[in-house]
Amino acid sequence: MNAVEELLVAFRDYLLSRSDPTLGHFIQGFAWSMAERSLAPHDLPVAAYLRKPRRLGNGAERVLFDKLADAADMLHWAQTYSITDFGSDFLQRYGWVELFGARGHFASEEMAGGFLLLGPEVHYPDHHHTAEEIYIPQTDGSLWSKDAQPFLPRWSGEIIHHPSNIRHAMRTEDEPLVALYLWRGGSLAQKSIISGRMQ
Ligand SMILES: [Fe+2]
C-alpha cells in the first residue's frame, strides 16, 4: 500500500471507530472500496504546517494525523478561492485535499472527504453551500461559528455538522487548524457561496 492508500484506510477506520449518531447516519452504507485515480502531487504553502511537529496527544486523532503527514507530499493540495475572494494572505494559509470524491485521489460520486488546513491567524469568512457537511478538527482551539452565532472554540475530535445551506465560518489564533471533512448531497464540487456577496 502506498501512503495515500494507507491514509484512506486510516480515514475510514477513524470514522468507523466513532460512535456519534450524526456521523454514523452520514456515512451509513458508504462504499469505502473506491478506484484510485492517478492524481499528481500538488504542494501548497499551507501544507508546510503538516511537516512541523505538533502537540496532538496520543488519541485516535494522532494516528490519523500521522498518516496525513506521511502522505502530505503525495497529495494534491488545492484551493477553491482565488486572490479576489479573500486576498493573498489567505491563500498562503489555506488549502484542502480531497482524498475521495468527484475529483479526489479515490473516485466517489456519493460522498467527498478530505482535510482542510488553515494556518495561524486566519479568518475563513461566512459561507454556505448546498451540500451537507461534517467537520472533525484534528487540532485544538480553532474557533467556529454556525448560523451567524458567536465563534466558539472547538477541540480535537469534536464533530461539527453543517446542514445544507447553513452559514458557517472558522477562525484560527496561534495554532493552525487541521480538520477532516465529509461532504454529501448537492454538487460534490460546488464552490461555496460567500455570504452577503454576489459571486
Ligand atoms: Fe463548508
Side-chain angles (χ1 to χ4, degrees):
M1 265 200 299
N2 67 44
V4 181
E5 291 167 330
E6 284 189 26
L7 178 58
L8 178 67
V9 169
F11 192 103
R12 177 199 67 193
D13 290 350
Y14 173 77
L15 292 176
L16 296 178
S17 77
R18 302 294 308 262
S19 55
D20 179 84
T22 303
L23 173 63
H25 185 252
F26 204 94
I27 63 172
Q28 192 171 30
F30 183 65
W32 288 99
S33 50
M34 294 170 270
E36 188 167 3
R37 291 190 176 103
S38 57
L39 219 53
H42 182 255
D43 200 15
L44 281 180
V46 73
Y49 293 108
L50 294 173
R51 301 180 187 111
K52 294 176 184 165
R54 307 232 66 81
R55 293 159 297 172
L56 281 168
N58 294 306
E61 288 76 24
R62 176 59 188 264
V63 174
L64 182 57
F65 183 93
D66 286 347
K67 292 292 184 190
L68 175 61
D70 289 347
D73 291 342
M74 293 175 65
L75 295 173
H76 190 91
W77 293 98
Q79 297 178 320
T80 310
Y81 300 106
S82 67
I83 202 160
T84 53
D85 290 314
F86 305 133
S88 62
D89 269 8
F90 184 84
L91 296 185
Q92 290 294 310
R93 286 178 270 176
Y94 150 82
W96 48 264
V97 59
E98 186 177 284
L99 185 56
F100 58 89
R103 309 165 282 186
H105 287 270
F106 298 88
S108 175
E109 297 297 327
E110 188 188 344
M111 181 163 77
F115 295 91
L116 170 73
L117 303 184
L118 294 178
E121 309 293 341
V122 173
H123 184 181
Y124 187 161
D126 247 339
H127 60 284
H128 62 279
H129 39 72
T130 312
E132 187 183 355
E133 177 177 70
I134 281 183
Y135 269 111
I136 310 178
Q138 306 289 297
T139 48
D140 284 333
S142 52
L143 300 159
W144 297 67
S145 162
K146 180 157 76 171
D147 202 17
Q149 297 299 303
F151 281 88
L152 294 173
R154 300 289 202 156
W155 308 98
S156 179
E158 281 197 59
I159 290 166
I160 301 166
H161 179 226
H162 295 144
S164 177
N165 282 323
I166 202 161
R167 291 166 59 177
H168 51 281
M170 303 80 130
R171 268 178 28 211
T172 54
E173 296 185 319
D174 300 347
E175 290 291 320
L177 165 69
V178 178
L180 177 158
Y181 75 82
L182 294 171
W183 169 288
R184 73 186 306 168
S187 163
L188 290 185
Q190 183 197 4
K191 181 178 176 181
S192 296
I193 298 159
I194 302 164
S195 304
R197 191 195 295 190
M198 299 294 287
Q199 290 286 296

